[in-house]
Amino acid sequence: MLSVVPSKNMNMGKRTLAMVPYDPTVAPSQPVKRARPSSPADAGAMVPYDAGKLPADATEPIDAVPLKAVAPRRKRPRLPLVRPLPNPEEPAFLREHILPRLGLWKQLQVHFIHTKRVTDTDLEAHQNRFRIPTEGAVQRLRPIMTTEELDAANLLHDPAAVASLESETEEEEEEGEQLAAEQGQRKRKRKRKKRKGKVHGGLPVRLVDLAAGVSDSLLLTRWTSSHGTIVKGGGYMNYVRRCSFKEHDVVDIWAFKQREFRLMGTPVFHESPLYILILKRDG
């Protein structure tokens, strides 16, 4: 097929028509010019919709859900925050009278442990101990003690971890006994011996009261069974009878200890025992 293409003669300066062969394989590769709208108003003209010209797959309804029908996302519940126990005001006479009387530095750091109400068990001769609230013993008393002191007072390990370890040990023992009974290795069930309580030692401490003064050396320890932190020892009842507090009184518990400090090999401050001050609140 022949087509007419205008050409320009360079010598004559006139446009002439030339006959060139038409190649259909080249035509699709050439860009196709599309008609542009004659005016800006025609650019937004509406095109009629004909559903009959669409393929069968395009006529199926869209599987969509309105946004209002979608279930809202569940918010992650917030864990309750543990609020720290507010510290009461440090008694003014503590640094002016008590610390110097004990031979301690006036600027020694004093730690508030907890507030409690004195119970009958704290004053009963059969119990023979003063109990420190667990929250104060774990969160406030433990951080001011060394590893050796924590070990001596049985406060080195977390009570929850110790209870879990003991529970696992008891379960293993029970499984071993059941397996031995099923295999017939034992002719009769062996009676389980009653578990003996752990012999509690303790860390030497001294109680301080405004009326009774300073106690003799007592022991700070934690019971393995109930995980209660107590102060006990010989002479406790004789001391507590002279104290200013009685049953149902509200008392603040403070603790302080002076560490040995040397300067150029010369001791500046001596090592003191751990003192626990029990201060009765007014009213």
Side-chain angles (χ1 to χ4, degrees):
M1 179 182 293
L2 299 177
S3 60
V4 180
V5 179
S7 63
K8 189 174 183 180
N9 193 339
M10 301 300 294
N11 298 328
M12 302 298 295
K14 296 181 180 180
R15 297 174 64 90
T16 59
L17 299 178
M19 302 295 291
V20 296
Y22 173 75
D23 188 357
T25 60
V26 180
S29 62
Q30 296 179 355
V32 180
K33 295 183 179 180
R34 297 182 179 180
R36 296 182 179 179
S38 58
S39 62
D42 296 337
M46 298 183 63
V47 179
Y49 171 75
D50 189 359
K53 296 182 179 180
L54 296 176
D57 297 340
T59 58
E60 295 181 0
I62 300 176
D63 186 10
V65 181
L67 295 178
K68 294 183 179 180
V70 178
R73 293 183 179 180
R74 294 183 179 180
K75 295 182 179 180
R76 181 178 297 180
R78 295 183 179 180
L79 298 177
L81 298 177
V82 179
R83 296 182 179 180
L85 191 66
N87 292 353
E89 185 178 356
E90 184 180 297
F93 56 82
L94 179 61
R95 301 189 180 278
E96 295 296 330
H97 301 284
I98 295 181
L99 294 182
R101 185 69 178 270
L102 297 175
L104 304 178
W105 185 37
K106 283 187 177 182
Q107 302 302 322
L108 182 66
Q109 188 174 5
V110 179
H111 306 271
F112 171 71
I113 304 302
H114 211 279
T115 300
K116 67 164 290 182
R117 187 177 297 275
V118 180
T119 63
D120 57 343
T121 56
D122 296 322
L123 308 175
E124 187 179 358
H126 178 69
Q127 298 289 337
N128 192 34
R129 92 288 184 280
F130 183 86
R131 182 160 186 164
I132 299 176
T134 302
E135 181 181 358
V138 173
Q139 298 183 6
R140 295 174 180 265
L141 185 58
R142 290 179 75 248
I144 68 175
M145 300 169 63
T146 63
T147 304
E148 292 76 12
E149 293 169 349
L150 291 172
D151 188 31
N154 196 25
L155 290 170
L156 184 59
H157 302 288
D158 184 13
V162 173
S164 177
L165 181 60
E166 292 178 354
S167 177
E168 292 179 359
T169 304
E170 292 179 356
E171 291 179 358
E172 292 177 357
E173 293 177 356
E174 292 178 358
E175 291 178 358
E177 292 179 0
Q178 292 178 1
L179 181 61
E182 292 175 358
Q183 294 177 353
Q185 295 179 357
R186 299 175 183 175
K187 296 181 180 180
R188 60 181 181 178
K189 293 183 179 179
R190 185 176 59 184
K191 295 182 180 180
R192 297 184 64 182
K193 296 182 180 180
K194 185 177 180 181
R195 192 174 183 179
K196 295 182 179 180
K198 181 180 178 180
V199 179
H200 297 88
L203 175 70
V205 297
R206 292 194 173 188
L207 297 180
V208 181
D209 179 78
L210 296 182
V214 184
S215 70
D216 294 334
S217 181
L218 300 174
L219 295 177
L220 172 70
T221 186
R222 181 174 62 187
W223 282 331
T224 306
S225 56
S226 63
H227 307 298
T229 304
I230 62 168
V231 177
K232 65 171 187 176
Y236 168 77
M237 288 306 304
N238 294 332
Y239 173 78
V240 78
R241 291 191 183 101
R242 304 194 309 268
C243 289
S244 58
F245 55 84
K246 58 183 182 299
E247 186 178 354
H248 304 306
D249 285 344
V250 178
V251 296
D252 292 332
I253 304 174
W254 301 78
F256 48 91
K257 178 180 174 64
Q258 182 172 273
R259 303 291 178 182
E260 183 182 14
F261 177 73
R262 291 176 175 267
L263 182 62
M264 303 294 293
T266 304
V268 179
F269 299 114
H270 66 278
E271 185 85 8
S272 75
L274 177 62
Y275 290 98
I276 298 179
L277 171 64
I278 305 175
L279 184 61
K280 176 184 175 181
R281 285 192 175 184
D282 296 335

